[in-house]
Amino acid sequence: MTQLIELSSRIHQNLKVVPSAINEFASKQHVFSLNAVEIAQAATCFPIFLSRNNINGNLNFSAMTSFLTEQNLFVESNQWLPVFQPSALRTYPLYLMQSNKADAQFTVGFDPQNTAFSETEGKPLFSAEGVASDHLTVVTKLLQTELDNMRHSFHLVTKLEELDLLKQIDLKVMFENGHVNTIKGLFTIDEDQFKMLPASTLAELNSAGYLMPIHALLMSIYQLNVLINKHNARPDNLVVKAIKMEVAKDVAHH
């Protein structure tokens, strides 16, 4: 795990972010983590699923940008193409970290080994006087709202699990040459269960602001067609013929 260090205007006054590094990083991300408030916008561009975090086993939302690891079909010629840009990308290469000074406080951290940083070129993080630059101010605000967004996402996932609204699926990507690539460990909304919810539960979900992300998650599945077209437009990719979404056999319970 990368060791983050706390950003300091005194120690890191000359630190800059290399602009091209952000899209270079994005170009190798076949999935992006999302928070609940981003789902509705992200669903206009990407298929969105939930998957378990390797570290703590929690379910997280993520946008799929490719069927292949280390490929992002939404970055071309080092340019991010969609109108929507996930918060995880807008704040990169800076992160939220627990402050060394106070346990309950969070601060901005970075990986000093990351080549996204330079002392000679790029967007400065501080002025000559050690004041946060406009770029750092925007990123810091985004990171601060991230805590609330993470809580909101956690509550939404907890509710989806409580109401048994999630089903685990296998995504079978079928290539023209007969090869099948199965992507496992994905979860989506169980539409049948959702349709059976009583009006009182739907009203409760609506007042909590959960109905829109639930509908957006369901609609986002259609973006798999966009992914197929983008994948097949890349001359080096094996042609995808079709995609099948199947309930994961070992966990089917309805």
Side-chain angles (χ1 to χ4, degrees), residues 14 16 26 31 42-43 68 72 74 83 90 97-98 100 128 136 166-168 172 201 216 228-229 242 252:
N14 299 325
K16 298 172 174 66
V31 288
L68 307 174
N72 182 342
F74 296 85
V83 173
R90 284 186 288 157
M97 68 174 275
Q98 205 149 357
N100 299 325
L136 179 57
L166 295 176
K167 64 177 176 185
Q168 190 170 345
K172 298 202 168 192
T201 307
I228 293 172
N229 292 338

Side-chain angles (χ1 to χ4, degrees), residues 21 33 40 61 78 106 120 132-133 153 156 198 214 223:
S33 61
F61 299 104
N78 210 29
F106 286 84
T120 54
S133 67
S153 301
L156 172 56
I214 288 171
Q223 299 296 350

Side-chain angles (χ1 to χ4, degrees), residues 94-128:
L94 298 167
Y95 299 93
L96 200 63
M97 68 174 275
Q98 205 149 357
S99 172
N100 299 325
K101 300 179 188 75
D103 282 350
Q105 285 195 335
F106 286 84
T107 184
V108 177
F110 74 103
D111 170 14
Q113 306 300 315
N114 193 334
T115 53
F117 295 105
S118 165
E119 294 213 338
T120 54
E121 59 158 332
K123 289 181 186 172
L125 294 177
F126 299 100
S127 70

Side-chain angles (χ1 to χ4, degrees), residues 48-50 64 166-172 182-189 221 224 244-251:
I48 303 168
F49 298 98
L50 296 93
M64 187 182 282
L166 295 176
K167 64 177 176 185
Q168 190 170 345
I169 57 153
D170 291 341
L171 203 62
K172 298 202 168 192
T182 305
I183 303 170
K184 290 180 169 287
L186 301 177
F187 293 78
T188 187
I189 300 293
I221 302 295
L224 284 168
K244 259 191 197 164
M245 223 166 61
E246 296 178 354
V247 174
K249 300 218 171 11
D250 49 338
V251 291

Side-chain angles (χ1 to χ4, degrees), residues 149-167:
N149 291 340
M150 281 160 67
R151 282 188 207 103
H152 184 60
S153 301
F154 177 77
H155 291 147
L156 172 56
V157 171
T158 304
K159 197 69 187 169
L160 294 175
E161 290 188 292
E162 188 189 298
L163 294 171
D164 202 18
L165 285 181
L166 295 176
K167 64 177 176 185

Side-chain angles (χ1 to χ4, degrees), residues 192-204:
D192 294 333
Q193 286 287 105
F194 181 57
K195 282 176 180 167
M196 283 161 42
L197 290 178
S200 57
T201 307
L202 288 172
E204 186 193 327

